[in-house]
Amino acid sequence: MKFTKMHGCGNDYVYVNCLEEKINNPNKVAKFISDRHFGIGSDGMICICPSDKADFRMAMYNSDGSEGAMCGNGVRCIAKYVYDYGLTDKTTITIETKGGIKELDLTVEDGKVTWVKVDMEAPITKASQIPAIYDDLDEVIDQPVIVDGKEYNITQMFSNILLSWTIHLSVQLTMVIVKPFIWKTLRAMVLSFIETSQSLNGIFVRMVASLV
């Protein structure tokens, strides 16, 4: 299998041109190659596939082998890949993902892509659309949740990008700001508040200093 390893802002994936290559068990392959000790080492594998809805299709697999909806850094790397390897000559392209079709603008200098901008669309913050257990709430922002007798506040959203809160972009994200920072409570905290059949990305933040 031929591959290319790329990263966007340090978010690294192994990219496979599935216009030419065929991967029979992408979940297993992604888990194997992502291992940073015995594999190639990456955050996962991204397959660049044909699409009947857009210029290309993105199939993204996390390092544990599970399939993700999309990745903003990953989809930008696809744009550079397809242009630099001559799979397109367009500087505005569309890529089909499980989080919808994304439009990307490419900046090209001396025949190579130097910058990619992707339209991630507006985030969804309404609780019933994320979804969250408390779907009667208008938004899940700074909402209290009790874990092991202690109260924590979480913000949840669904989004293709991470803003200062948590959103339903194309991947479900949950941000938890905790003090004290107790790791063993984090998983229980998130799962007690979220109702989802999909995997989600959890982001945990500890305040270490204030610039204000």
Side-chain angles (χ1 to χ4, degrees), residues 41-53:
S42 67
D43 290 329
M45 179 178 73
I46 291 179
C47 300
I48 304 168
C49 308
S51 172
D52 57 4
K53 300 176 182 178

Side-chain angles (χ1 to χ4, degrees), residues 41-109:
S42 67
D43 290 329
M45 179 178 73
I46 291 179
C47 300
I48 304 168
C49 308
S51 172
D52 57 4
K53 300 176 182 178
D55 295 314
F56 301 94
R57 180 172 64 86
M58 171 187 193
M60 177 197 134
Y61 300 88
N62 298 308
S63 59
D64 64 356
S66 62
E67 187 171 4
M70 73 91 61
C71 168
N73 287 320
V75 78
R76 292 191 303 117
C77 286
I78 289 179
K80 177 172 174 59
Y81 183 105
V82 297
Y83 188 94
D84 286 3
Y85 281 103
L87 302 180
T88 185
D89 60 0
K90 298 194 295 185
T91 55
T92 297
I93 65 171
T94 54
I95 298 179
E96 177 188 355
T97 77
K98 282 198 166 185
I101 295 176
K102 307 304 173 189
E103 184 174 290
L104 300 97
D105 294 319
L106 288 61
T107 299
V108 179
E109 297 176 3

Side-chain angles (χ1 to χ4, degrees), residues 191-211:
L191 295 181
S192 69
F193 200 77
I194 297 165
E195 180 179 278
T196 179
S197 60
Q198 302 177 352
S199 59
L200 59 87
N201 292 341
I203 296 156
F204 303 97
V205 180
R206 177 175 56 178
M207 185 75 71
V208 295
S210 176
L211 299 179

Side-chain angles (χ1 to χ4, degrees), residues 32-209:
F32 174 77
I33 66 175
S34 296
D35 191 294
R36 295 191 183 274
H37 298 288
F38 299 103
I40 299 168
S42 67
D43 290 329
M45 179 178 73
I46 291 179
C47 300
I48 304 168
C49 308
S51 172
D52 57 4
K53 300 176 182 178
D55 295 314
F56 301 94
R57 180 172 64 86
M58 171 187 193
M60 177 197 134
Y61 300 88
N62 298 308
S63 59
D64 64 356
S66 62
E67 187 171 4
M70 73 91 61
C71 168
N73 287 320
V75 78
R76 292 191 303 117
C77 286
I78 289 179
K80 177 172 174 59
Y81 183 105
V82 297
Y83 188 94
D84 286 3
Y85 281 103
L87 302 180
T88 185
D89 60 0
K90 298 194 295 185
T91 55
T92 297
I93 65 171
T94 54
I95 298 179
E96 177 188 355
T97 77
K98 282 198 166 185
I101 295 176
K102 307 304 173 189
E103 184 174 290
L104 300 97
D105 294 319
L106 288 61
T107 299
V108 179
E109 297 176 3
D110 298 324
K112 299 292 183 181
V113 172
T114 58
W115 187 267
V116 179
K117 180 175 69 174
V118 57
D119 180 4
M120 301 298 278
E121 305 173 2
I124 297 171
T125 57
K126 189 172 177 61
S128 60
Q129 295 177 319
I130 292 175
I133 291 174
Y134 299 105
D135 59 6
D136 57 328
L137 295 174
D138 186 37
E139 293 181 316
V140 186
I141 295 180
D142 204 31
Q143 291 297 320
V145 57
I146 305 297
V147 179
D148 291 339
K150 295 183 180 180
E151 183 176 294
Y152 300 88
N153 286 34
I154 76 169
T155 296
Q156 187 185 4
M157 65 186 111
F158 187 86
S159 178
N160 287 319
I161 55 174
L162 178 64
L163 302 180
S164 46
W165 301 106
T166 324
I167 345 178
H168 187 149
L169 294 176
S170 286
V171 288
Q172 188 166 315
L173 302 168
T174 296
M175 178 180 287
V176 183
I177 300 178
V178 290
K179 184 181 181 181
F181 203 56
I182 306 172
W183 285 103
K184 67 179 182 180
T185 67
L186 300 184
R187 183 176 183 275
M189 183 192 313
V190 172
L191 295 181
S192 69
F193 200 77
I194 297 165
E195 180 179 278
T196 179
S197 60
Q198 302 177 352
S199 59
L200 59 87
N201 292 341
I203 296 156
F204 303 97
V205 180
R206 177 175 56 178
M207 185 75 71
V208 295

